[in-house]
Each structure stands twice: as structure tokens, then as C-alpha cells.
Amino acid sequence: MFDINENELSEIELKELLEHIHHGDKEKLNEVIDNMYPIDIAIALENYEDEEILKFYELVNNELMAAIIEQADEDLQIRIINLFSYKNIVNIFSFMSKDDIADILGNLPINLRKELLKLMKTGDTKEIQVLLGYKEDSAGGIMTTEYIALKGDLTTGDALKKIKTIGPKTEVIETIFVINQSKELVGSADLRDILIASEETKLMDIIKDNIITVNPEVDQEEVSKLVSKYDLKVIAVVNRRNNILGIITVDDIIDVIVEEHTEDILHLAGVSKEESVESSLGTSIKKRLPWLFVNLATAFLASFTVGLFEDAIAQVVALAAAMPIVAGMGGNSGTQALSVVIRGIALGDIELKKGWKKVFKEIALGVINGAATGLITGLILYMKYGNPYLGVIIFVAMIGNLVIAGFFGFLIPLVLDKLGVDPALASAIFLTTATDVFGFFLFLGLAKAFLPLLL
Amino acid sequence: MFDINENELSEIELKELLEHIHHGDKEKLNEVIDNMYPIDIAIALENYEDEEILKFYELVNNELMAAIIEQADEDLQIRIINLFSYKNIVNIFSFMSKDDIADILGNLPINLRKELLKLMKTGDTKEIQVLLGYKEDSAGGIMTTEYIALKGDLTTGDALKKIKTIGPKTEVIETIFVINQSKELVGSADLRDILIASEETKLMDIIKDNIITVNPEVDQEEVSKLVSKYDLKVIAVVNRRNNILGIITVDDIIDVIVEEHTEDILHLAGVSKEESVESSLGTSIKKRLPWLFVNLATAFLASFTVGLFEDAIAQVVALAAAMPIVAGMGGNSGTQALSVVIRGIALGDIELKKGWKKVFKEIALGVINGAATGLITGLILYMKYGNPYLGVIIFVAMIGNLVIAGFFGFLIPLVLDKLGVDPALASAIFLTTATDVFGFFLFLGLAKAFLPLLL
């Protein structure tokens, strides 16, 4: 038993593990490993040399190796597949669920995938190929085919016997899916209800019949929203004829939510979700540079806007010093509106059709926040440069700037969402362009119009 | 049965529901409601007038009302509590789990909370007051006290009998926690193993003993990381003496992950997590304006930096036009590094102690991305202003700028994390300050040093 402070493997444990591997001490290794979780072993293996991994495999059984590979990250999975013989891999696969095998095969080069499929049992091969046909981030791509479906006319006594037999091979036993004679899903029965009911009760009589299901092509994010909203522990995936194809369990949904979270945060910053702190320099360049070029184009738009007012700046150079304030405040207040709306969209709280009326609140917010920050800015610039009109101009510009920022920050994500574009991905770039160009235009334009007062 | 396209309530259904309420048609109302999920009823109630909610309550039973209130959002919960009589509330509470009652009471004014606690059974009151003592976002704050713990010397046959009796009152029955004579948690038994084992087997002999537990004061985000890493369906909360205090189920963990996600995204943008698209104007001002003042202070730092070079700008006004490019590119590339690192920290992939060495990769990335974007920028400015030295200066400044951005974008979140500050909350503000101040200083400083070449 260990609690949170001890749950990361200590350096000593890791060293001990490696020593047993080097000495080929099967008994001691398995003693240590017995108290470890597969995910922790997988993390340890990541830092091992190829030879050490091979030696480790000689000392453990295929069932444990299967559990470790299931938990390993993609890089380690591919490394192990390339390291082991085809025969060994197929042996290990026989301890894995079909959907996990499909996930691993999906990341391999086509030739290698075909070789491995050839070596498996024909029945398994067919099932895996069906699974490989679903998109990686669809309900079909994340479902498992190991579930319990029983006929509705079974008594709970018989059902319990079946569950005892099939149970060890499935992922979820607390929810039993119930089908009719035409194999259509008609509902689900709680294991607890089956346990409590008298032995002669028919399953049909204790099922919940308005259960939530999804089709295999539904996006995994939609599935995660349903699971989260209805507090589901498992959700059935069915085809058009309402035959059950598989189930998605809540632990896979957690992975989906964490993955989508990562995607949102990275997209907001213009980084692809495939990049992590472990990515190579080359990968990072490939992922980030294109986005920087897009940013460069919008920065030039801002720059050209400033260029329109070079004559005014040449005469009143204080304008140049005030520019970073205009750009910074517009960008920041716009981002505030943006992120509230993006989260609202993600949580299903708002959409363009009904939500656009709330833009008036953002405009009011821009006036108030703009007046508050503009007043301070105006006073400071007045004190620094001794010209009251400069203060008034930045005060007015700041209000306009924050209104523009609120307006665009609020509407851009809603419009993108309506157009079917991920608002987290593209909103920021449009927003900065809008706040920079309009912000500079407003501030420098006002300055130019009242230039004699500033000289 | 309905699938994803039909799972939102249609406008017609909602109208029908309201009609039955207005007509006080108990039978028809309950017919419609029988096929609805409590969360959907709660969402419908949000839009009802107080009178309609009261009328609705007259037509349904307390058990359903309890399920609806459990699923309702905080605003609706408080509204209902204020609307119903104390006696009715206490009746409804008797159908709720203690932790849900504690969550609701935790959001009420102290006086109202005391009144309600007085009306409840003494035993319940005590238990709820213990739960109220835990911080809202700690393991103790999100745990439920309804779990099954059985003694290890029980046979599986006897255990199954107990489970049948207690089962209906607990949240999780697939995992049974097992305690010894001193009531210390010694492990957990899978219901499927209990079902399969022969009736005479002792629980002690089929338990998993290296189970993961947390103390009640552990932060909910830590708990969610453990659940997500180890694919747990339930985690036990224990005190220092290893007595079980409660359990946390995976559906509550999903809520935690979604909540922390919202917090991260909003924090990155300088908005408090308490703001949503539904917040009032006053709330939004209160949440956003303070952060804008912080931003204003840093914008002034950038402005003062520019002010140091006003003489150079006055002579070469093209410098002012190039400033938005310097600021924009520094901010954007820094944010890219920042978000990769913040996600790495959130996923537990990186920390300052080991991770700082990777800053060299960010620096290399800054050189390469800076050279690529700087080359284009230099060429365009050369073509526009006809001065090759201006192009060279912006080329060099861009490389330096992106190196600075990568350096700070990478290290700021790690240092904040080390200091115990949420990196998502404070990183962006430090980063923009750093990239603006150093970026302007480098670019304008270079320009001033080589001013004769630019004239």
C-alpha cells in the first residue's frame, strides 16, 4: 500500500530493478515487479537501452509484457515492436484486447502491420481490421469490443452464471447490456440489480431502457461530453440497426478529456498538439515555424498601419512610446473575452445563434475597463510629456481599443465555431490582428487629426 | 433509447413539460419525466419562474427532486433552497448522499446552513459537519462517504450477502474495500473476483494489497492525476492511521478535470475561473479589471523602454513601424514555448530540477525560427525603406528576440511551479514583460548604436 507521496518510483527502486535485469535474476526481479503498476514499469523502460529491454522481456511473462505495452506511450510501443521478433509480439498480443492491438497497429508502417496481422488468428485479424477502419478519434476508434451483452429473456440467476464465466475477459461487469432476439440493444441492467433480484426475474424486467448510445463515427469529444454530463461509467457504441459494436469505458474518456485539454491549450498558443516537452528540435521547428510565419504576416499588417502615420510619429515621438500600451492592453482585454467564450463553447453554454446578443455586455465592459485604464494612462503620459491633449487622446483611444477588443474577442470564436473551425486553434491570430490594426489606427489616427494640439 | 443527435431536449418537449406543470397534470408530467435524465430536468428548470418551480415540486416526489438538485448548477441549487420551506428541503435531503448535502450547504450563508443542520438527524448533522470541514477542492471535499468496507476474514459467500444488502445505498459496488480488525484499510477486492471465488474463500485471500490511497487534504488535481495515470475507477481516502474516510469515484474526477481545464485556460488569459459567459457585467469588471491594471503596469515598462530611444526614433521613424513586429513575434514565440511547458507540467512530464537543461533546445529553436522570420522581415523592410542596414538590424534583433522569448517562455513556468505558484495563472504576464522590454531594448539599442548607418 502506498499513498500519494510515495507513488512515484524512487531512484533506488529504479536502480534495483535495473540491477536485477543486468544479473538476469528472474526471482528477485519479479518480486520487485509484483508490487509495481504496469504504467510505472512502462515509464521505467522508457529510459532503458534496447538490450536492457530485451533482457527484461526474457525474465517476465507475456501477460505482464502485454499490460506494460498497453500502458506505454506511443514511442515506447513502436520501439518494442521493432525490437521483438514477430512471433513474440503475436504471443504478447494474445494477452491484449483487440482494440488495444488495433491502436498499436494503427501507429505502425503498413507493411509491418500486414506482417503481424498475417501471423494472428483469422478471426482476430478480421475483428482488428474492422477496428482499424474507424478514425482514431471517433467513438469506434476508442471503443473496446470486450463487453457483456445478454438476451432479455434470460433470468437473473442464469445471467449471473454467465457473468461469472465471461466476467474475467471483459472490462466492465457492473453494467450488462441487454439485447432482444434480433440482437438489437434494448437497455442495460445494473449488476447490483441483478444481484438483488430474485433468481427467476427476467433481465427484461429490470433494465433501464432509455440508455444513451453513440454511433461509431461520433467524435470522441462529443462522447466525452455525454459521459461527463450524464455521469456515465460506460457508454455503448451501436450501428444504425442498433446492434451493439462495442463499449467505451470511463477511463478511456478521461484520456480523451486530458488529450482535448492539451489540444486546446496548445492550439490557443499556436502549437500543434503533437508537440511535447520531449519533442526533438526538428519536430518543434516543423510545428511552430509555420504558425510564426502566419503571425509575421499579421504583424506586418500592424506595422503598415503604424507606417501610415510615420509623419505624425516623427513630429511627436511620444506616440511611439505609447504604442506598446495600446497594443498590449487591446491584446490582453481581447484575450480575456476570448477565453471566456471559448470555454463557454467547449462546455456547450453558448453558440452564435443565441449568444451574439451578449456582445453588448462585452462592449459595455470595454467602455468601463477602457475608461479606468485609459484615465491612469492619460494622467501618466500627461505628467511625463506635459501635454494634456496627449492624455485625452490616449484616454479616448483606450476606450475605443478595449471596445474593439471585447467585440472581436467575443464574436471571433462564435463565428469560427459556427463555421466549423476549432475556435481554440484560430481565434487568437484573428484577434491580435484586429486589436493591433484597429488599435493603432484609432490611436495614431486621433493623434494625427489633432496633431497641432500635440506639438 | 436515444442517440447523440436526440439527446438535447427539443423545444417541443420543453414546452410540453411546462404545459403539464401549468395544468398541474401530475400523471402526464411524470410520464414525460420518466424518460428524462435528472440533469436535463435541472437544465430545463433553470429557465423557469419561481412559481413554476414550486408548482413542479408539488407534482413530483422528493426522491426525484433530490436527484435533480444534485445535478443542478450552483445558482439553481441556491435558488431552490431559498424557494422551498426548510421542512421540504430536509425531506429532500434525506434522499441525498451526505457529501452532496455538504456541497450544497457549503455554498449557503452560515445562518441558513445552521438552520438546516438543526432540523436534520443528529447523526447526519455530525457527519455533514465533518465533511464541511474539508476544503472544497481537496480529496476530503469531493469524496463520498457511501462505500462498502468489509472485514478481511469474511468469506466471499458472506461478503456477497452483505453486498446485496448494502449495495443499493452505495455508489460503487465493483470495488469492495477490505479492512482488518483494527479497521485499517488492507486492500481492495474486485466484485468479479468475489463472484468467481468459491463461497468459502476468505476476502483476505483475493485482495489486491498495493492499492493507491490519498489523504483527505490532498488537492483534487493531484487526485485526478493519480486516477488518470492508473486508470482507477475509484480511489480510497484514508486518514493517517489508514482508516478509510470515504471514496472518490471516477465521475467526480471527470468533473475535477473539466473544472481544472477551465481554470487553466482562463488563468492563461488573466480571467478568474469564476467568470463564465453568464456572468453579470459587474462580476466581469471585478474579475478582469484588476488583471488589466497589472497588465497596464507591465505595458508601461515596455513603454518606458521605448522612451529611452525616442531620439533614435525621431530620426529614423521606420523604427516605430517595425516595433509591432518585434513585440508581436517575441510574444508569440514565447507563448508557444510557454504552453508546451505548462502542459508538460500539468501532465507531470517535466519539472525544474531535471527539465532546465532542455532550455538549450528552446534557445536553438529561437536562433533558427528567429533567423527564418528575421530574414523575411529584414528583406521586406529593406525593400520598403531602401536601407540594407535596417534589414540587418531587424534580422539580428529578431534572432535575439526569439532566443529571449524561448528562454523565458521555457523557464518562467518551471520556476513558478517550483515556487508553488500556478504556472497557468502568472506565466503569461511575466513573459510579455520580458519579451517586450528585452525585445525593444535589443532592437532599438542596436538601431541607436548604428544610428549613422540608418540615416
Side-chain angles (χ1 to χ4, degrees):
Chain A
M1 173 144 348
F2 57 88
D3 83 357
I4 185 160
N5 303 308
E6 307 159 32
N7 81 70
E8 298 283 326
L9 288 179
S10 69
E11 306 244 340
I12 299 160
E13 283 174 300
L14 283 174
K15 222 177 136 186
E16 201 190 354
L17 195 64
L18 203 52
E19 260 170 33
H20 295 324
I21 294 170
H22 280 239
H23 293 140
D25 195 336
K26 190 164 176 167
E27 204 171 311
K28 282 201 178 144
L29 178 75
N30 281 288
E31 210 171 273
V32 177
I33 280 180
D34 266 356
N35 283 310
M36 287 175 72
Y37 286 83
I39 173 76
D40 289 320
I41 305 177
I43 292 170
L45 289 188
E46 276 174 27
N47 302 311
Y48 285 7
E49 304 293 330
D50 287 355
E51 277 173 41
E52 289 164 343
I53 293 181
L54 280 169
K55 224 165 172 180
F56 171 83
Y57 176 50
E58 282 172 23
L59 301 171
V60 300
N61 59 44
N62 279 324
E63 188 174 356
L64 177 65
M65 200 65 219
I68 294 169
I69 294 177
E70 271 177 17
Q71 298 283 329
D73 70 3
E74 214 180 293
D75 290 343
L76 182 60
Q77 282 181 343
I78 293 175
R79 220 178 117 204
I80 290 178
I81 302 280
N82 284 316
L83 208 56
F84 290 8
S85 74
Y86 289 173
K87 203 179 129 244
N88 284 340
I89 296 167
V90 173
N91 282 338
I92 295 169
F93 277 177
S94 68
F95 291 94
M96 284 189 186
S97 66
K98 308 285 173 297
D99 58 303
D100 283 323
I101 300 175
D103 287 346
I104 294 172
L105 292 182
N107 294 324
L108 299 179
I110 297 225
N111 283 338
L112 181 52
R113 192 194 296 176
K114 278 188 185 160
E115 286 299 326
L116 289 170
L117 279 171
K118 253 192 261 169
L119 293 171
M120 290 185 225
K121 285 188 230 149
T122 326
D124 291 358
T125 307
K126 270 193 190 156
E127 199 177 327
I128 290 168
Q129 267 164 338
V130 171
L131 288 173
L132 278 167
Y134 297 118
K135 273 176 63 185
E136 205 184 334
D137 54 0
S138 69
I142 59 172
M143 74 183 183
T144 167
T145 45
E146 268 131 51
Y147 56 89
I148 304 185
L150 300 176
K151 293 237 170 76
D153 52 10
L154 226 56
T155 64
T156 55
D158 288 339
L160 212 49
K161 274 181 211 146
K162 288 226 175 199
I163 293 166
K164 284 185 194 179
T165 331
I166 320 174
K169 285 181 233 143
T170 71
E171 283 207 24
V172 178
I173 63 159
E174 63 267 33
T175 305
I176 311 294
F177 291 99
V178 178
I179 53 180
N180 63 15
Q181 294 299 337
S182 349
K183 294 199 169 176
E184 288 164 345
L185 181 63
V186 290
S188 71
D190 264 16
L191 179 57
R192 78 176 72 190
D193 293 333
I194 297 177
L195 280 175
I196 295 162
S198 79
E199 286 212 346
E200 296 310 309
T201 316
K202 291 244 193 291
L203 278 185
M204 213 55 204
D205 298 327
I206 55 166
I207 60 169
K208 218 171 36 179
D209 60 357
N210 63 338
I211 63 169
I212 292 168
T213 60
V214 287
N215 293 130
E217 63 275 13
V218 170
D219 188 272
Q220 60 176 5
E221 195 167 4
E222 291 301 323
V223 182
S224 77
K225 278 186 195 170
L226 285 176
V227 169
S228 155
K229 179 177 175 191
Y230 293 103
D231 289 342
L232 305 176
K233 295 222 165 73
V234 59
I235 188 168
V237 183
V238 296
N239 63 15
R240 299 283 164 208
R241 288 188 306 278
N242 212 16
N243 305 129
I244 183 163
L245 302 174
I247 59 169
I248 300 170
T249 54
V250 72
D251 50 317
D252 290 329
I253 290 299
I254 288 191
D255 295 341
V256 170
I257 296 176
V258 171
E259 186 187 323
E260 299 283 343
H261 180 182
T262 303
E263 205 178 299
D264 278 359
I265 294 244
L266 296 184
H267 276 174
L268 267 176
V271 189
S272 139
K273 74 163 164 168
E274 284 85 20
E275 194 190 332
S276 77
V277 283
E278 298 297 336
S279 297
S280 68
L281 181 63
T283 310
S284 293
I285 293 174
K286 232 170 27 195
K287 298 291 176 195
R288 295 194 205 171
L289 193 53
W291 193 248
L292 288 179
F293 281 131
V294 176
N295 272 303
L296 186 60
T298 72
F300 265 107
L301 273 180
S303 167
F304 290 144
T305 310
V306 174
L308 297 176
F309 304 97
E310 275 178 7
D311 49 341
I313 295 172
Q315 292 179 67
V316 187
V317 78
L319 296 178
M323 278 167 44
I325 300 175
V326 173
M329 296 308 285
N332 282 317
S333 65
T335 307
Q336 289 183 331
L338 194 77
S339 50
V340 171
V341 176
I342 285 179
R343 276 314 289 165
I345 294 171
L347 296 172
D349 287 346
I350 191 169
E351 53 177 294
L352 184 60
K353 211 172 103 196
K354 292 177 189 164
W356 67 270
K357 287 172 201 154
K358 297 204 170 115
V359 74
F360 297 111
K361 187 195 107 183
E362 286 298 330
I363 292 175
L365 201 58
V367 173
I368 295 165
N369 287 348
T373 51
L375 188 69
I376 295 176
T377 312
L379 283 174
I380 293 178
L381 290 191
Y382 167 44
M383 290 191 297
K384 187 165 179 220
Y385 295 98
N387 185 319
Y389 299 107
L390 180 64
V392 173
I393 283 173
I394 194 121
F395 173 74
V396 175
M398 201 78 114
I399 293 175
N401 194 13
L402 264 63
V403 167
I404 292 164
F407 180 81
F408 284 105
F410 189 83
L411 283 187
I412 287 173
L414 289 177
V415 171
L416 289 176
D417 179 51
K418 173 86 187 167
L419 297 175
V421 180
D422 176 8
L425 177 59
S427 289
I429 189 86
F430 287 111
L431 176 70
T432 350
T433 312
T435 55
D436 275 5
V437 169
F438 288 110
F440 285 140
F441 196 87
L442 186 65
F443 171 57
L444 297 174
L446 276 173
K448 191 173 179 177
F450 297 97
L451 197 57
L453 295 173
L454 298 178
L455 294 174
Chain B
M1 175 143 346
F2 56 89
D3 84 356
I4 185 160
N5 303 308
E6 306 159 32
N7 81 69
E8 297 284 324
L9 288 179
S10 68
E11 305 245 339
I12 300 160
E13 283 173 302
L14 284 174
K15 222 177 136 185
E16 202 189 356
L17 195 66
L18 201 53
E19 259 170 32
H20 295 324
I21 295 170
H22 280 239
H23 294 139
D25 194 335
K26 191 166 176 166
E27 203 170 311
K28 281 201 181 145
L29 179 75
N30 281 287
E31 212 171 274
V32 177
I33 279 181
D34 266 356
N35 283 309
M36 287 176 71
Y37 286 84
I39 173 75
D40 289 319
I41 305 177
I43 292 170
L45 289 187
E46 276 174 28
N47 301 310
Y48 286 6
E49 304 294 328
D50 286 356
E51 276 173 41
E52 289 164 342
I53 293 180
L54 281 169
K55 225 167 173 179
F56 172 83
Y57 176 52
E58 281 172 24
L59 301 171
V60 299
N61 60 44
N62 279 324
E63 188 173 356
L64 177 66
M65 201 65 219
I68 294 169
I69 294 177
E70 271 177 18
Q71 297 283 328
D73 71 4
E74 212 180 295
D75 290 344
L76 181 61
Q77 283 181 343
I78 294 175
R79 218 177 120 204
I80 291 177
I81 301 281
N82 284 317
L83 207 56
F84 290 7
S85 75
Y86 289 172
K87 203 180 130 246
N88 284 340
I89 296 167
V90 173
N91 282 338
I92 295 170
F93 277 176
S94 69
F95 291 94
M96 284 190 187
S97 67
K98 309 283 174 300
D99 58 304
D100 283 323
I101 300 174
D103 286 345
I104 295 171
L105 292 182
N107 295 324
L108 299 178
I110 297 226
N111 282 339
L112 181 51
R113 189 194 300 178
K114 278 189 184 159
E115 286 300 324
L116 288 170
L117 279 171
K118 251 191 262 170
L119 294 171
M120 289 185 227
K121 285 189 229 146
T122 326
D124 291 358
T125 307
K126 271 194 191 153
E127 198 177 327
I128 290 168
Q129 266 164 338
V130 171
L131 287 173
L132 279 168
Y134 297 117
K135 273 176 64 186
E136 205 185 334
D137 54 1
S138 69
I142 59 172
M143 73 184 185
T144 166
T145 44
E146 268 131 53
Y147 56 90
I148 304 184
L150 299 176
K151 293 237 171 75
D153 52 11
L154 224 58
T155 64
T156 55
D158 289 338
L160 214 47
K161 274 182 212 146
K162 290 226 172 196
I163 293 166
K164 285 184 192 181
T165 330
I166 319 173
K169 284 181 235 145
T170 71
E171 283 208 24
V172 178
I173 63 158
E174 63 267 35
T175 305
I176 311 294
F177 291 99
V178 178
I179 52 179
N180 62 17
Q181 295 299 340
S182 346
K183 294 198 170 177
E184 287 162 346
L185 181 63
V186 288
S188 71
D190 264 16
L191 180 56
R192 77 176 73 191
D193 294 332
I194 296 177
L195 279 176
I196 294 163
S198 79
E199 287 213 345
E200 296 310 311
T201 317
K202 291 244 193 290
L203 278 186
M204 212 55 203
D205 299 325
I206 56 165
I207 60 169
K208 218 169 38 176
D209 60 358
N210 64 337
I211 63 169
I212 293 169
T213 60
V214 288
N215 294 129
E217 64 275 13
V218 170
D219 188 272
Q220 61 176 6
E221 196 169 2
E222 292 300 324
V223 182
S224 77
K225 279 186 196 169
L226 285 176
V227 170
S228 157
K229 178 176 175 192
Y230 293 104
D231 288 343
L232 306 176
K233 295 222 166 71
V234 58
I235 188 167
V237 182
V238 297
N239 64 14
R240 299 282 163 210
R241 288 188 306 280
N242 213 15
N243 305 129
I244 182 163
L245 302 173
I247 59 170
I248 301 170
T249 54
V250 70
D251 51 316
D252 290 327
I253 289 299
I254 288 190
D255 295 342
V256 170
I257 295 176
V258 172
E259 187 187 323
E260 299 284 342
H261 180 182
T262 304
E263 206 177 298
D264 277 359
I265 293 242
L266 297 183
H267 276 175
L268 268 176
V271 189
S272 138
K273 74 163 166 169
E274 285 85 21
E275 195 189 333
S276 76
V277 282
E278 298 297 334
S279 297
S280 69
L281 180 63
T283 309
S284 293
I285 293 174
K286 234 173 21 198
K287 297 293 175 193
R288 296 195 205 171
L289 193 54
W291 193 247
L292 288 178
F293 281 130
V294 177
N295 272 302
L296 187 60
T298 72
F300 264 107
L301 274 181
S303 167
F304 290 144
T305 311
V306 174
L308 297 177
F309 302 97
E310 274 176 7
D311 48 343
I313 295 171
Q315 292 177 68
V316 186
V317 79
L319 296 177
M323 279 167 43
I325 300 175
V326 173
M329 296 308 286
N332 282 317
S333 64
T335 307
Q336 290 183 330
L338 194 78
S339 50
V340 171
V341 176
I342 286 179
R343 277 312 290 163
I345 293 171
L347 296 172
D349 287 345
I350 191 170
E351 53 177 292
L352 184 61
K353 212 171 101 195
K354 291 177 191 165
W356 67 271
K357 287 172 202 154
K358 297 204 170 112
V359 76
F360 296 111
K361 187 194 107 182
E362 286 298 330
I363 292 174
L365 203 57
V367 172
I368 294 164
N369 287 348
T373 52
L375 188 68
I376 295 176
T377 313
L379 282 174
I380 294 178
L381 289 192
Y382 168 44
M383 289 189 299
K384 190 171 177 212
Y385 295 97
N387 186 319
Y389 299 107
L390 180 63
V392 174
I393 283 173
I394 193 115
F395 173 74
V396 175
M398 201 79 114
I399 293 175
N401 194 13
L402 265 62
V403 167
I404 291 164
F407 180 81
F408 284 107
F410 189 85
L411 283 186
I412 287 172
L414 290 177
V415 171
L416 289 176
D417 179 52
K418 173 85 187 170
L419 296 175
V421 180
D422 176 8
L425 177 59
S427 290
I429 189 88
F430 287 110
L431 176 71
T432 350
T433 312
T435 55
D436 275 5
V437 170
F438 288 110
F440 285 140
F441 197 86
L442 185 64
F443 171 57
L444 298 174
L446 275 173
K448 190 172 180 177
F450 297 97
L451 197 57
L453 296 173
L454 298 178
L455 294 174

